[in-house]
PDB file of all heavy atoms in Angstrom:
ATOM      1  N   ASP A 252       0.816  -1.212  -0.008  1.00 96.00           N
ATOM      2  CA  ASP A 252      -0.030   0.009  -0.010  1.00 96.00           C
ATOM      3  C   ASP A 252       0.863   1.251  -0.013  1.00 96.00           C
ATOM      4  O   ASP A 252       0.537   2.234  -0.705  1.00 96.00           O
ATOM      5  CB  ASP A 252      -0.914   0.021   1.195  1.00 96.00           C
ATOM      6  CG  ASP A 252      -1.966  -1.162   1.204  1.00 96.00           C
ATOM      7  OD1 ASP A 252      -2.130  -1.723   0.169  1.00 96.00           O
ATOM      8  OD2 ASP A 252      -2.552  -1.417   2.258  1.00 96.00           O
ATOM      9  N   THR A 253       1.927   1.240   0.785  1.00 96.00           N
ATOM     10  CA  THR A 253       2.765   2.400   0.883  1.00 96.00           C
ATOM     11  C   THR A 253       3.472   2.725  -0.422  1.00 96.00           C
ATOM     12  O   THR A 253       3.542   3.911  -0.881  1.00 96.00           O
ATOM     13  CB  THR A 253       3.802   2.268   2.023  1.00 96.00           C
ATOM     14  OG1 THR A 253       3.066   2.102   3.221  1.00 96.00           O
ATOM     15  CG2 THR A 253       4.703   3.490   2.147  1.00 96.00           C
ATOM     16  N   VAL A 254       4.064   1.660  -1.014  1.00 97.00           N
ATOM     17  CA  VAL A 254       4.825   1.922  -2.278  1.00 97.00           C
ATOM     18  C   VAL A 254       3.880   2.352  -3.424  1.00 97.00           C
ATOM     19  O   VAL A 254       4.166   3.231  -4.181  1.00 97.00           O
ATOM     20  CB  VAL A 254       5.653   0.621  -2.648  1.00 97.00           C
ATOM     21  CG1 VAL A 254       6.206   0.724  -4.075  1.00 97.00           C
ATOM     22  CG2 VAL A 254       6.667   0.384  -1.594  1.00 97.00           C
ATOM     23  N   ARG A 255       2.737   1.745  -3.503  1.00 97.00           N
ATOM     24  CA  ARG A 255       1.738   2.171  -4.442  1.00 97.00           C
ATOM     25  C   ARG A 255       1.365   3.630  -4.252  1.00 97.00           C
ATOM     26  O   ARG A 255       1.292   4.413  -5.206  1.00 97.00           O
ATOM     27  CB  ARG A 255       0.488   1.285  -4.399  1.00 97.00           C
ATOM     28  CG  ARG A 255       0.653  -0.104  -4.956  1.00 97.00           C
ATOM     29  CD  ARG A 255      -0.690  -0.859  -4.938  1.00 97.00           C
ATOM     30  NE  ARG A 255      -0.555  -2.152  -5.450  1.00 97.00           N
ATOM     31  CZ  ARG A 255      -1.647  -2.892  -5.806  1.00 97.00           C
ATOM     32  NH1 ARG A 255      -2.877  -2.408  -5.616  1.00 97.00           N
ATOM     33  NH2 ARG A 255      -1.498  -4.116  -6.333  1.00 97.00           N
ATOM     34  N   ASP A 256       1.074   3.945  -3.064  1.00 96.00           N
ATOM     35  CA  ASP A 256       0.633   5.363  -2.755  1.00 96.00           C
ATOM     36  C   ASP A 256       1.784   6.365  -3.100  1.00 96.00           C
ATOM     37  O   ASP A 256       1.532   7.446  -3.586  1.00 96.00           O
ATOM     38  CB  ASP A 256       0.276   5.545  -1.278  1.00 96.00           C
ATOM     39  CG  ASP A 256      -1.125   5.014  -0.958  1.00 96.00           C
ATOM     40  OD1 ASP A 256      -1.912   4.811  -1.899  1.00 96.00           O
ATOM     41  OD2 ASP A 256      -1.483   4.895   0.237  1.00 96.00           O
ATOM     42  N   PHE A 257       2.971   6.005  -2.730  1.00 96.00           N
ATOM     43  CA  PHE A 257       4.093   6.944  -3.057  1.00 96.00           C
ATOM     44  C   PHE A 257       4.238   7.228  -4.495  1.00 96.00           C
ATOM     45  O   PHE A 257       4.316   8.356  -4.923  1.00 96.00           O
ATOM     46  CB  PHE A 257       5.419   6.343  -2.428  1.00 96.00           C
ATOM     47  CG  PHE A 257       6.649   7.123  -2.780  1.00 96.00           C
ATOM     48  CD1 PHE A 257       6.908   8.298  -2.001  1.00 96.00           C
ATOM     49  CD2 PHE A 257       7.477   6.808  -3.879  1.00 96.00           C
ATOM     50  CE1 PHE A 257       8.018   9.100  -2.332  1.00 96.00           C
ATOM     51  CE2 PHE A 257       8.618   7.623  -4.126  1.00 96.00           C
ATOM     52  CZ  PHE A 257       8.889   8.739  -3.347  1.00 96.00           C
ATOM     53  N   TRP A 258       4.149   6.182  -5.333  1.00 97.00           N
ATOM     54  CA  TRP A 258       4.410   6.434  -6.730  1.00 97.00           C
ATOM     55  C   TRP A 258       3.186   6.926  -7.441  1.00 97.00           C
ATOM     56  O   TRP A 258       3.297   7.440  -8.554  1.00 97.00           O
ATOM     57  CB  TRP A 258       4.896   5.116  -7.392  1.00 97.00           C
ATOM     58  CG  TRP A 258       6.339   4.888  -7.098  1.00 97.00           C
ATOM     59  CD1 TRP A 258       6.916   3.909  -6.367  1.00 97.00           C
ATOM     60  CD2 TRP A 258       7.480   5.672  -7.510  1.00 97.00           C
ATOM     61  NE1 TRP A 258       8.243   4.025  -6.263  1.00 97.00           N
ATOM     62  CE2 TRP A 258       8.597   5.139  -6.971  1.00 97.00           C
ATOM     63  CE3 TRP A 258       7.547   6.912  -8.258  1.00 97.00           C
ATOM     64  CZ2 TRP A 258       9.856   5.713  -7.103  1.00 97.00           C
ATOM     65  CZ3 TRP A 258       8.860   7.447  -8.399  1.00 97.00           C
ATOM     66  CH2 TRP A 258       9.972   6.843  -7.901  1.00 97.00           C
ATOM     67  N   ARG A 259       2.008   6.849  -6.897  1.00 96.00           N
ATOM     68  CA  ARG A 259       0.875   7.538  -7.523  1.00 96.00           C
ATOM     69  C   ARG A 259       0.701   8.965  -6.962  1.00 96.00           C
ATOM     70  O   ARG A 259      -0.282   9.663  -7.324  1.00 96.00           O
ATOM     71  CB  ARG A 259      -0.462   6.764  -7.294  1.00 96.00           C
ATOM     72  CG  ARG A 259      -0.970   6.652  -5.930  1.00 96.00           C
ATOM     73  CD  ARG A 259      -2.106   5.699  -5.868  1.00 96.00           C
ATOM     74  NE  ARG A 259      -2.677   5.573  -4.492  1.00 96.00           N
ATOM     75  CZ  ARG A 259      -3.954   5.880  -4.203  1.00 96.00           C
ATOM     76  NH1 ARG A 259      -4.827   6.343  -5.129  1.00 96.00           N
ATOM     77  NH2 ARG A 259      -4.388   5.737  -2.913  1.00 96.00           N
ATOM     78  N   GLY A 260       1.618   9.447  -6.063  1.00 92.00           N
ATOM     79  CA  GLY A 260       1.653  10.841  -5.632  1.00 92.00           C
ATOM     80  C   GLY A 260       0.736  11.179  -4.540  1.00 92.00           C
ATOM     81  O   GLY A 260       0.368  12.389  -4.391  1.00 92.00           O
ATOM     82  N   GLN A 261       0.366  10.198  -3.672  1.00 90.00           N
ATOM     83  CA  GLN A 261      -0.511  10.518  -2.540  1.00 90.00           C
ATOM     84  C   GLN A 261       0.305  11.314  -1.443  1.00 90.00           C
ATOM     85  O   GLN A 261       1.443  10.955  -1.170  1.00 90.00           O
ATOM     86  CB  GLN A 261      -1.084   9.268  -1.959  1.00 90.00           C
ATOM     87  CG  GLN A 261      -2.096   8.592  -2.828  1.00 90.00           C
ATOM     88  CD  GLN A 261      -3.319   9.465  -3.099  1.00 90.00           C
ATOM     89  OE1 GLN A 261      -4.103   9.732  -2.193  1.00 90.00           O
ATOM     90  NE2 GLN A 261      -3.438   9.865  -4.345  1.00 90.00           N
ATOM     91  N   ASP A 262      -0.301  12.236  -0.839  1.00 78.00           N
ATOM     92  CA  ASP A 262       0.334  13.048   0.186  1.00 78.00           C
ATOM     93  C   ASP A 262       0.271  12.378   1.588  1.00 78.00           C
ATOM     94  O   ASP A 262      -0.437  12.820   2.446  1.00 78.00           O
ATOM     95  CB  ASP A 262      -0.302  14.418   0.305  1.00 78.00           C
ATOM     96  CG  ASP A 262      -0.048  15.265  -0.998  1.00 78.00           C
ATOM     97  OD1 ASP A 262       0.990  15.021  -1.633  1.00 78.00           O
ATOM     98  OD2 ASP A 262      -0.894  16.120  -1.303  1.00 78.00           O
ATOM     99  N   HIS A 263       1.032  11.348   1.720  1.00 76.00           N
ATOM    100  CA  HIS A 263       1.089  10.620   3.021  1.00 76.00           C
ATOM    101  C   HIS A 263       2.499  10.873   3.701  1.00 76.00           C
ATOM    102  O   HIS A 263       2.735  10.277   4.686  1.00 76.00           O
ATOM    103  CB  HIS A 263       0.939   9.106   2.876  1.00 76.00           C
ATOM    104  CG  HIS A 263      -0.458   8.801   2.374  1.00 76.00           C
ATOM    105  ND1 HIS A 263      -1.608   9.445   2.813  1.00 76.00           N
ATOM    106  CD2 HIS A 263      -0.941   7.812   1.470  1.00 76.00           C
ATOM    107  CE1 HIS A 263      -2.672   8.911   2.226  1.00 76.00           C
ATOM    108  NE2 HIS A 263      -2.298   7.967   1.424  1.00 76.00           N
ATOM    109  N   GLY A 264       3.317  11.705   3.050  1.00 75.00           N
ATOM    110  CA  GLY A 264       4.652  11.908   3.636  1.00 75.00           C
ATOM    111  C   GLY A 264       5.594  10.738   3.158  1.00 75.00           C
ATOM    112  O   GLY A 264       5.123   9.782   2.581  1.00 75.00           O
ATOM    113  N   ILE A 265       6.846  10.899   3.491  1.00 91.00           N
ATOM    114  CA  ILE A 265       7.817   9.986   3.017  1.00 91.00           C
ATOM    115  C   ILE A 265       8.423   9.051   4.098  1.00 91.00           C
ATOM    116  O   ILE A 265       9.181   8.121   3.823  1.00 91.00           O
ATOM    117  CB  ILE A 265       8.935  10.682   2.277  1.00 91.00           C
ATOM    118  CG1 ILE A 265       9.554  11.783   3.166  1.00 91.00           C
ATOM    119  CG2 ILE A 265       8.456  11.283   0.934  1.00 91.00           C
ATOM    120  CD1 ILE A 265      10.742  12.508   2.539  1.00 91.00           C
ATOM    121  N   ALA A 266       8.047   9.319   5.398  1.00 93.00           N
ATOM    122  CA  ALA A 266       8.602   8.574   6.431  1.00 93.00           C
ATOM    123  C   ALA A 266       8.282   7.112   6.342  1.00 93.00           C
ATOM    124  O   ALA A 266       9.137   6.203   6.479  1.00 93.00           O
ATOM    125  CB  ALA A 266       8.176   9.133   7.809  1.00 93.00           C
ATOM    126  N   GLU A 267       6.950   6.783   6.021  1.00 94.00           N
ATOM    127  CA  GLU A 267       6.631   5.369   5.938  1.00 94.00           C
ATOM    128  C   GLU A 267       7.133   4.718   4.726  1.00 94.00           C
ATOM    129  O   GLU A 267       7.574   3.548   4.754  1.00 94.00           O
ATOM    130  CB  GLU A 267       5.077   5.248   5.933  1.00 94.00           C
ATOM    131  CG  GLU A 267       4.630   3.813   5.950  1.00 94.00           C
ATOM    132  CD  GLU A 267       3.163   3.601   6.198  1.00 94.00           C
ATOM    133  OE1 GLU A 267       2.399   4.583   6.377  1.00 94.00           O
ATOM    134  OE2 GLU A 267       2.772   2.405   6.259  1.00 94.00           O
ATOM    135  N   PHE A 268       7.299   5.455   3.639  1.00 95.00           N
ATOM    136  CA  PHE A 268       7.968   4.921   2.415  1.00 95.00           C
ATOM    137  C   PHE A 268       9.394   4.532   2.749  1.00 95.00           C
ATOM    138  O   PHE A 268       9.870   3.451   2.414  1.00 95.00           O
ATOM    139  CB  PHE A 268       7.981   5.928   1.294  1.00 95.00           C
ATOM    140  CG  PHE A 268       8.718   5.517   0.069  1.00 95.00           C
ATOM    141  CD1 PHE A 268       8.191   4.533  -0.791  1.00 95.00           C
ATOM    142  CD2 PHE A 268      10.017   5.969  -0.225  1.00 95.00           C
ATOM    143  CE1 PHE A 268       8.850   4.097  -1.918  1.00 95.00           C
ATOM    144  CE2 PHE A 268      10.721   5.602  -1.352  1.00 95.00           C
ATOM    145  CZ  PHE A 268      10.104   4.626  -2.180  1.00 95.00           C
ATOM    146  N   ALA A 269      10.130   5.417   3.532  1.00 96.00           N
ATOM    147  CA  ALA A 269      11.523   5.077   3.966  1.00 96.00           C
ATOM    148  C   ALA A 269      11.552   3.808   4.756  1.00 96.00           C
ATOM    149  O   ALA A 269      12.470   2.970   4.648  1.00 96.00           O
ATOM    150  CB  ALA A 269      12.100   6.210   4.674  1.00 96.00           C
ATOM    151  N   SER A 270      10.542   3.637   5.647  1.00 96.00           N
ATOM    152  CA  SER A 270      10.529   2.489   6.556  1.00 96.00           C
ATOM    153  C   SER A 270      10.276   1.205   5.686  1.00 96.00           C
ATOM    154  O   SER A 270      10.942   0.177   5.969  1.00 96.00           O
ATOM    155  CB  SER A 270       9.371   2.624   7.543  1.00 96.00           C
ATOM    156  OG  SER A 270       9.323   1.469   8.366  1.00 96.00           O
ATOM    157  N   ARG A 271       9.386   1.251   4.781  1.00 97.00           N
ATOM    158  CA  ARG A 271       9.108   0.114   3.974  1.00 97.00           C
ATOM    159  C   ARG A 271      10.339  -0.285   3.071  1.00 97.00           C
ATOM    160  O   ARG A 271      10.680  -1.433   2.858  1.00 97.00           O
ATOM    161  CB  ARG A 271       7.890   0.279   3.047  1.00 97.00           C
ATOM    162  CG  ARG A 271       6.620   0.643   3.789  1.00 97.00           C
ATOM    163  CD  ARG A 271       6.186  -0.401   4.746  1.00 97.00           C
ATOM    164  NE  ARG A 271       5.376   0.125   5.840  1.00 97.00           N
ATOM    165  CZ  ARG A 271       5.659   0.130   7.097  1.00 97.00           C
ATOM    166  NH1 ARG A 271       6.771  -0.470   7.500  1.00 97.00           N
ATOM    167  NH2 ARG A 271       4.861   0.647   7.947  1.00 97.00           N
ATOM    168  N   LEU A 272      11.027   0.740   2.570  1.00 98.00           N
ATOM    169  CA  LEU A 272      12.210   0.565   1.753  1.00 98.00           C
ATOM    170  C   LEU A 272      13.315  -0.167   2.489  1.00 98.00           C
ATOM    171  O   LEU A 272      14.068  -0.938   1.885  1.00 98.00           O
ATOM    172  CB  LEU A 272      12.707   1.882   1.188  1.00 98.00           C
ATOM    173  CG  LEU A 272      13.865   1.895   0.231  1.00 98.00           C
ATOM    174  CD1 LEU A 272      13.316   1.416  -1.131  1.00 98.00           C
ATOM    175  CD2 LEU A 272      14.485   3.303   0.101  1.00 98.00           C
ATOM    176  N   THR A 273      13.399   0.074   3.788  1.00 97.00           N
ATOM    177  CA  THR A 273      14.482  -0.469   4.580  1.00 97.00           C
ATOM    178  C   THR A 273      14.109  -1.674   5.446  1.00 97.00           C
ATOM    179  O   THR A 273      14.812  -2.010   6.374  1.00 97.00           O
ATOM    180  CB  THR A 273      15.046   0.642   5.501  1.00 97.00           C
ATOM    181  OG1 THR A 273      14.036   1.215   6.266  1.00 97.00           O
ATOM    182  CG2 THR A 273      15.691   1.727   4.673  1.00 97.00           C
ATOM    183  N   GLY A 274      13.004  -2.332   5.101  1.00 97.00           N
ATOM    184  CA  GLY A 274      12.718  -3.601   5.767  1.00 97.00           C
ATOM    185  C   GLY A 274      11.579  -3.601   6.768  1.00 97.00           C
ATOM    186  O   GLY A 274      11.359  -4.563   7.448  1.00 97.00           O
ATOM    187  N   SER A 275      10.945  -2.411   6.941  1.00 96.00           N
ATOM    188  CA  SER A 275       9.809  -2.386   7.944  1.00 96.00           C
ATOM    189  C   SER A 275      10.184  -2.762   9.319  1.00 96.00           C
ATOM    190  O   SER A 275       9.608  -3.610   9.988  1.00 96.00           O
ATOM    191  CB  SER A 275       8.598  -3.229   7.422  1.00 96.00           C
ATOM    192  OG  SER A 275       8.137  -2.731   6.189  1.00 96.00           O
ATOM    193  N   SER A 276      11.230  -2.103   9.791  1.00 95.00           N
ATOM    194  CA  SER A 276      11.666  -2.403  11.207  1.00 95.00           C
ATOM    195  C   SER A 276      10.561  -2.141  12.245  1.00 95.00           C
ATOM    196  O   SER A 276      10.534  -2.734  13.281  1.00 95.00           O
ATOM    197  CB  SER A 276      12.901  -1.580  11.541  1.00 95.00           C
ATOM    198  OG  SER A 276      12.682  -0.194  11.426  1.00 95.00           O
TER     199      SER A 276
END
């Protein structure tokens, strides 16, 4: 959900995208 939202330009901020990119610690 986060990666889809990021690339379709949803305004959810980038912190969660960064978390998902790095393994969802």
Side-chain angles (χ1 to χ4, degrees):
D252 295 346
T253 299
V254 171
R255 287 185 178 192
D256 279 348
F257 177 78
W258 284 114
R259 70 187 179 119
Q261 291 298 294
D262 291 334
H263 294 322
I265 54 177
E267 187 168 0
F268 176 76
S270 178
R271 303 298 156 243
L272 185 74
T273 53
S275 298
S276 60

